[in-house]
Amino acid sequence: MAQIFHRSSNFAARLSIFGGVVIVGLLSFALYEIALSPWYTQQFVKRQQPVPFSHRHHAGELGIDCRYCHTSVEKSSFAGVPPTQTCMTCHSQIWTNAAMLEPVRQSYRDDKSIEWIRVNALPDFVYFDHSIHVAKGVGCTTCHGQIAEMPLTERAGTLYMSWCLECHRQPEKYVRPKSEVFNPYYEPPPGDEQLKLGKELVAEYKIQVPQHPGDMKPLQTCSTCHR
Amino acid sequence: MSEDSNAKNSIDLAAARAKLAGAGAARMWQSLEQLSGTQKFEEFRDYEFPPSAGKGNDGIDRRDVLKLMAASAAMAGLSACTKLPTEKIVPYVKPPEEILAGRPLFYATSLFQAGVATGVLVESHTGRPTKIEGNSEHPGSLGPTDIFSQAAILQFWDPDRSQSVYLDGRVSTWSDFAAKTGNYRTRLLPKGSGLRILTETITSPTLGAQMKTLLAQYPEAQWHQYEPCGADSVREGARLAFGRPVNTVYHFDQADVIVSLDADFLTCGAGHVRYARDFGSRRDLADGASSNLNRLYIAESMPTATGAVSDHRLPVRSTDIDDLARQLAAAAGVAVPPSANASAKIPAEWVSAVGRDLAAHKGSSIVIAGEQQPPLVHALAHAINAALGNVGKTVTYTESIEANPVNQLESLRDLVNDLNAGKVEFLLILGANPVYDAPADFNFADAIKKATLTVHSGLYLDETAELCHWHCPAAHSLESWSDGRAYDGTVGIVQPLIAPLYDAHSAHEIIALFTGDSDKTPHDIVRGYWQSQRPEKDKAFEALWETSLHDGLIANTALPAISVATHADFVSLARTSAASGEANSLEVVFRPDPSIGDGEWANSGWLQELPKPVTRLTWDNAAMISPLTAQQLGLTTGDYVSVSVNGGSIHSGVYIVPGHAENSVTLHLGYGRSRAGQVGTGPGFNVYLVRTSSAMGFATGAQIAKTGKTYSFASTQQQYTIDVVKGEEESKAAMGEPGDAERNLVRIATFEEFKKDPDFAKLADEEATKDLSIYPGYQYDGYAWGMSIDLNRCVGCNACVIACQSENNIAVVGKDQVERGRAMHWIRIDTYFRGHLDNPEMYYEPLPCQQCENAPCEYVCPVGATTHNAEGLNDMTYNRCVGTRYCSNNCPYKVRRFNFYLYSDYKTPSLYGMRNPNVTVRSRGVMEKCTYCVQRINAAKIKSEEENRLIRDGEIITACQSACPTQAIVFGNINDPNSKVAKLKAQSRDYGLLEDLNTRPRTTYLARVRNPNPEIPS
Amino acid sequence: MASEGSHNTVGVTDPDPIIGPGHTFETVTDKISAIVLTRPVTPGWVLGLLISFGALMLLNMVITLLMIKGVGIWGIRIPTAWGFAIVNFVWWIGIGHAGTLISAILLLLHQRWRTSINRFAEAMTLFAVMCAGMFPLLHMGRPWLFFYLMPYPNPMWTWPQFRSPLVWDVFAVSTYLTVSLLFWFVGLIPDLATLRDRAKNKAAKIIYGALAMGWRGSAMHWFRYETASLLLAGLATPLVVSVHTVVSFDFTIGIIPGWHTTIFPPYFVAGAIYSGFAMVLTLAIPIRKFYHLEDLVTIRHLDIMAKVMLGTGLIVAYGYLIEAFLAFYSGDQYEIYMMTNRFKGPYAPLYWMLISCNIIIPQLLWSKKVRRNVGLLFVLSLVVNTGMWLERFVIIVISLSRDFIPSSWGMYYPTRWDWATYIGTFGLFFTLFFLFIRVLPMISIVEVRSLVAETNEEKAHS
């Protein structure tokens, strides 16, 4: 009797056996890549701000200390975004009528806050504290990247949990001397140098790493960041 | 009103008695249902085939179901992961001083109860008050708080607070009010006849002074005061005894023997927080056998928190307290005629034994009478204290702390008479809510209509506001300036934490309108008054003012002790005053509700859902009766009855309370509000309807009649709960009855037994198996957090429960959910009874998460949402929890709570402000539990590490610990042998719950040691 | 043809045949394939499907409500945080086991009688596992978070907590579902080919054809078919034991009195097969009646299955006995209380109902009369199903409702939504089953044909 299927359908059948596996594999790989892509994480994405504030100019060229504007970074969980007043301390003297700065002057005149776009927005359910990180020798640029080279500020890390854990698992890879914490141009010593220095600093700053091999890891227990 | 089958709640008391008789007096039990073994199977069957029509027990009705059919048809796949939203940062333009985003600030201020001020510290996050702690500087607190101070934060943010001025129900403004009433005020001048001002009890010196000025300007105006559950008879008792209303201050830390005549002094009345603290300090056993334990005798009708911790409790009708007081007085050598009608219920040997004990402790004993007792009993108490030479030692007297102490009942009576006589033109009501809580026979609702113009100022648009022409929102203590005296007269300053949320104004401002000081700000008024009072001037005063604001009180303003002579003819007064009620007629006792007071707290979800001491009842008041009375009247818990007394009658559900006095019905005031708010309107029964001016404390000659209906209560302690105290062999015989297993949850000994065997709390088999494990334990190099709870200090006041709720953003679930076993409290206070139905011993056991070292919850969680922490905590990671609820099943202490629905309120904006920003607000389908206030631990760790030091002992204080008036809860680092908690755990009384399961709980208990009088057979 | 037919006629004399007399390859093929291809849709079938579908829609509604409101709609509470959802999960999973046992173990043991029942037994397994699989998801109240239990690389660097039996469940159940599905499908291939060749309309030809994957019945095909079946049987056999063992770990790993016991795995497995066979009977008896298959699913089959029920039932009974004995023998006060609470507690009636359903009443099966009384057997199968459901309820709810600290005890009462969920899964099960018997041969044509062949050979030799 007549064949319902053409011979070629045999090939289709065989293909489908492997095709399924391959497609599923590719799909999950793609998803993972998307989850890590700047498009999704907003890493390295320059955000348009009401005022085109340049960290490169202020922190870099002018060399203004981070703490001049981010006053509470050593005292509080929140580093602090400068009030308009802080801007005006200088800009009531210089660039007093630069069009670029009009929003700042307006804010000061109308006593209305400037609405900055948040660049480094941590995920929900995380309780992050700037002061302790700064106190333990985690530099600004360790998380915020080469801020002194950023004309418009961008997010330097993915801010994923894995990104936090990188350091919480091996702080010695990242810590620097406290004196260098606010140095935007700090270069960590090459390779093993850093590890050596890091180990010393971890001990010196009493960063909570397990004392004995079998111990639990204080920096990685959930309540360190989640409550 | 549910119409469920009566089988659901019926209790076979006879069976209960039989069972107890079988097991002997030492059998531990927790509820009558469990004792009588009430079968719940019928209920199961009822649930199996639920009523198909109308609302079911899940609150979903047919219409919902129809909607659902549509919805389910449309239900498609859920949205995939979305991109992170863009957030904004909005900095200040000009930064305010001292505020540091991310770090809280604490301000000292005062809160009022029945006019008496208690000092508190208020935590403020970037200008939002979020949590209330006690003020350790303040004599009325010394650090701890009570449930009401804790709940004040919710009251402040309560969305139901009245938010604008109203004229005849139409929205108006403050300026409008000032202007329009201005004409009246001027018309009333110069005499001011027809002006009446009704306030609650006022201890504020400033307000008092303002009132004086006002009365000077309006000579014929009248100032009335009324407090529904105030200290009227205390005041009158003092007047009776000493001729003037002096203020009594007790020193429980000095008292070896305390006799309470129906006085619940640990949880209500002036200074109760301080009294609990002092009382607790005498329940300490740190010195072992040589410890100086006090002994508390109490005679009361309704078992109260205080009664539960007493060493000897005598259940008698409130009516018979008069007789008891006379007998004790006689025993103490006070010449007083015997009672008109002696009560058979007072065992002579009890009285004589107590008398001897008192006599043996002259100068170191206290006799204290309850607020709802008549003045005479108070006078007798004063006389006894005098006779025992306690005055000046354990009892001191000062001038009254009130600005104008009056007999408030008479004061209100005068007002009502004037109203009815049409003499009142302008009635100004500040805070009080007489339409709801005035004595029924005053018919205040009718009387108030006779005034020409009525103005009400209060936090809520309540029953009284409804009947007044004007209503002005009163400013909450947290948003206004004022001052007030503590129980000992110390002046506390009230300073605002935040500008008024609404168009609200304080009493000071309203009075200022009359005295023509309306230009002054409240701050100027208060500060101005003290500037005029204090010797310090200019700079000196400036300094004083600053420190006073900082400390929350003006130093050394406690009123000096005065010596008062007992009034000569008070004994003769005693002769004339006949004790009311015949020996065995049914008595009704009116008490403020232990949770919501006289009703002013009715709209607080926290307090409504708070399990009341002893009964564990939530969301309701009830007709509380003794098991025996219930048997005689053929009643059982859940019967819906009508209670008739004083010519009135109300309906109520019956609730059987073990240890309640016979022939006595306790009705708690404060429920059945008709205009309290979303929460407070509805629950319970309005008892004020049968409370008349002739019997404010209690009345006899009551009748109870069944209606045939039943009423379902929501009690947090479930049925069939029981425990057997250590070493009671007969319990074994009863094995097989529900819960008869010897679980040793509460371990008890008398002081004598304790002296013989200090280790009575240690069980041999437990000790043997304690650290057995095939796995190596965790190593805790750094801190190891632990908690010790002293059952001997705990007075079950519930302060810890509310403090925890406030600190940890714990949701309120409502009566229906409580009934279905879904209350969310992270710390619960288990209650146990031991001994016979009619007069059992009672025990409290606060139960937070035990933070086990071998935690059964941890290894069963499939996603690792609850994990062990390097410092021994069981961390809960809410955002990881998927809600399998396995951890709760596997928790032997059942301290985990689950969000079966979306309990947290995400809708009400005003509640956002109240929440603790350092604790996640849990959403639906998430498990939660006590974390030892990990947010406080982390804060302290960060602080200490930044300062490069270790955390000091006592630097971390958990919410429950800081609220505990008796310091029963101590938290700290058990790795540090010198820490307070480590020392406590080293005591011989220390034991852990269910240690035979080898969970190794970090929270352990110090066993209870009673100090009974050997002369009295228990 | 006719001659071949007469030649292949099966012996009429067999006193207790596993296949009715007078069957030839054709008759078998005709009879079974006719049900799918030519038999008109009967009102009975439509009615059945409609009822089941209605129940399925009820399930759909409950699930929607669940997603909108949360698990609060059920009666669960603290302490009894697991209720119907888990009870039903274990019950459905258990039911599945019979199918696998029949198709896998009995295949390896060359039990010929299995041939005519294994197809719909496997189908039953498949559908039962589907129903079971839903419950853990619904149980969470937020099923969309289920992926947290899957081990996969993610930017949070988090993994499931592998010490938790619930994670083991995920693997056990998903494996079980996959293998059962494969086994069932492979077994179907030759029959699908038959249907393809016999189908009249084009659509059917194409669908069956696609599913038959080009089966032409060549020797090579048969060889591969046999090998695949044996391999899958080998794979499935351990699953019969492992799946329910893992499920029982959900309880044994816990410390709750009544859960924390070592005897659960064996008696859970026995119980599973017990209930499974009960369910097979519940399905087989009506089907053979309505589709006149008495000669393919003979009294002999029912008799054998009844015996299996009796056997497994006795194992289960032994389990109960030991459970009770150990509780008291242990001297552990909590264990003892747990047991006395089952005997006398508020749920005692359910416990005694369980004992009578699972132990006392099934003893009737000792009598051959009963085993061969179709009506009575049907009732008994329902009784056993009920009993096994009660067993899970007793283990889960009664144990939880009263554990260690009396103050936290509480009664669990199922709400209308608990029942709706349960009934809903019946909807899913029977909807699938009704469709199955319409579109696929509910009895394996090839195997029955080989059976015919074998019986003929025997006859030839005799």
Side-chain angles (χ1 to χ4, degrees), chain B residues 319-604:
Chain B
T319 316
D320 300 335
I321 296 288
D322 171 272
D323 180 16
L324 175 62
R326 288 165 191 261
Q327 294 188 34
L328 283 175
V334 180
V336 60
S339 168
N341 43 6
S343 161
K345 293 274 176 278
I346 302 172
E349 68 276 16
W350 199 86
V351 179
S352 53
V354 175
R356 279 195 298 280
D357 207 1
L358 283 173
H361 292 86
K362 284 191 182 330
S364 65
S365 55
I366 290 179
V367 177
I368 179 172
E371 285 185 333
Q372 66 283 352
Q373 282 298 323
L376 179 67
V377 173
H378 287 265
L380 287 170
H382 290 307
I384 298 171
N385 283 327
L388 293 171
N390 296 334
V391 178
K393 300 196 180 72
T394 58
V395 182
T396 54
Y397 296 101
T398 73
E399 292 302 338
S400 172
I401 59 171
E402 295 177 40
N404 173 23
V406 296
N407 181 333
Q408 297 186 342
L409 182 63
E410 294 315 312
S411 172
L412 186 67
R413 194 191 301 273
D414 298 344
L415 174 61
V416 172
N417 292 341
D418 289 1
L419 279 165
N420 291 331
K423 291 191 206 154
V424 180
E425 203 171 332
F426 190 134
L427 174 59
L428 172 62
I429 301 175
L430 297 175
N433 184 9
V435 173
Y436 167 69
D437 58 25
D441 54 334
F442 283 4
N443 292 329
F444 200 90
D446 299 336
I448 195 174
K449 297 203 186 82
K450 302 203 175 72
T452 325
L453 182 70
T454 48
V455 177
H456 172 262
S457 163
L459 283 176
Y460 295 90
L461 273 167
D462 55 20
E463 292 84 349
T464 306
E466 190 180 13
L467 296 185
C468 289
H469 302 106
W470 283 96
H471 166 77
C472 302
H476 192 278
S477 305
L478 296 179
E479 58 185 10
S480 58
W481 284 97
S482 185
D483 54 5
R485 288 193 181 275
Y487 79 110
D488 67 346
T490 305
V491 173
I493 301 291
V494 176
Q495 58 176 327
L497 271 285
I498 184 173
L501 294 181
Y502 316 113
D503 189 4
H505 298 268
S506 66
H508 297 287
E509 293 166 86
I510 294 177
I511 300 301
L513 286 178
F514 287 81
T515 56
D517 302 325
S518 46
D519 52 335
K520 287 196 193 154
T521 68
H523 170 256
D524 298 345
I525 296 172
V526 177
R527 191 171 181 283
Y529 169 77
W530 286 107
Q531 200 154 17
S532 66
Q533 293 300 305
R534 301 293 301 190
E536 299 90 342
K537 291 280 160 271
D538 314 328
K539 282 261 172 289
F541 177 77
E542 195 51 49
L544 170 84
W545 184 247
E546 286 307 319
T547 36
S548 305
L549 289 187
H550 174 273
D551 302 348
L553 57 90
I554 306 181
N556 317 322
T557 42
L559 293 170
I562 52 171
S563 63
V564 283
T566 316
H567 210 257
D569 59 354
F570 117 77
V571 174
S572 63
L573 285 170
R575 183 173 290 101
T576 57
S577 77
S580 63
E582 49 292 351
N584 47 13
S585 89
L586 191 61
E587 151 199 89
V588 166
V589 184
F590 305 106
R591 280 179 169 279
D593 185 84
S595 296
I596 64 166
D598 58 15
E600 73 170 307
W601 294 98
N603 205 49
S604 170

Side-chain angles (χ1 to χ4, degrees), chain B residues 30-252:
Chain B
Q30 278 180 323
S31 84
L32 290 164
E33 290 79 354
Q34 147 265 310
L35 260 183
S36 59
T38 310
Q39 278 293 322
K40 303 284 275 192
F41 186 67
E42 294 77 358
E43 195 173 345
F44 181 80
R45 187 196 54 216
D46 296 344
Y47 272 75
E48 230 170 339
F49 307 103
S52 50
K55 284 262 178 201
N57 52 3
D58 48 15
I60 299 159
D61 64 16
R62 259 195 251 84
R63 304 172 85 257
D64 298 333
V65 173
L66 289 172
K67 287 197 216 97
L68 273 169
M69 288 166 141
S72 52
M75 189 169 78
L78 289 129
S79 67
C81 50
T82 50
K83 261 185 90 172
L84 301 163
T86 300
E87 295 174 24
K88 287 209 163 107
I89 311 181
V90 185
Y92 293 105
V93 175
K94 302 181 185 64
E97 293 162 30
E98 66 187 11
I99 284 190
L100 191 61
R103 289 276 183 271
L105 291 167
F106 290 83
Y107 296 96
T109 179
S110 294
L111 295 170
F112 296 93
Q113 271 165 53
V116 184
T118 312
V120 294
L121 293 181
V122 184
E123 181 176 1
S124 166
H125 286 271
T126 53
R128 300 181 291 109
T130 59
K131 175 77 171 70
I132 292 182
E133 304 286 358
N135 179 355
S136 50
E137 309 279 314
H138 192 282
S141 158
L142 297 186
T145 54
D146 63 1
I147 55 175
F148 300 111
S149 315
Q150 290 294 339
I153 200 76
L154 177 59
Q155 184 183 49
F156 171 73
W157 291 106
D158 186 347
D160 295 348
R161 272 180 61 192
S162 86
Q163 308 191 354
S164 73
V165 178
Y166 284 90
L167 170 57
D168 298 326
R170 283 187 309 281
V171 172
S172 177
T173 65
W174 168 256
S175 48
D176 202 29
F177 165 75
K180 290 228 176 81
T181 54
N183 318 335
Y184 268 95
R185 295 197 301 273
T186 41
R187 228 182 65 217
L188 288 166
L189 285 165
K191 283 190 152 55
S193 59
L195 172 59
R196 295 285 189 279
I197 299 175
L198 174 62
T199 67
E200 297 173 299
T201 309
I202 300 293
T203 64
S204 161
T206 308
L207 192 56
Q210 282 184 286
M211 289 302 294
K212 281 197 180 57
T213 340
L214 182 144
L215 292 172
Q217 291 181 17
Y218 302 80
E220 293 182 10
Q222 296 279 336
W223 175 14
H224 305 276
Q225 298 177 59
Y226 177 65
E227 196 83 47
C229 300
D232 239 8
S233 52
V234 179
R235 211 180 288 109
E236 293 315 298
R239 205 190 294 277
L240 193 58
F242 310 116
R244 60 201 172 100
V246 296
N247 173 44
T248 318
V249 177
Y250 300 93
H251 306 275
F252 287 97

Side-chain angles (χ1 to χ4, degrees), chain C residues 179-199:
Chain C
V179 173
S180 321
L181 184 63
L182 279 175
F183 204 172
W184 185 64
F185 179 67
V186 170
L188 266 169
I189 289 178
D191 289 4
L192 287 165
T194 316
L195 291 177
R196 173 197 59 199
D197 303 340
R198 290 179 155 247

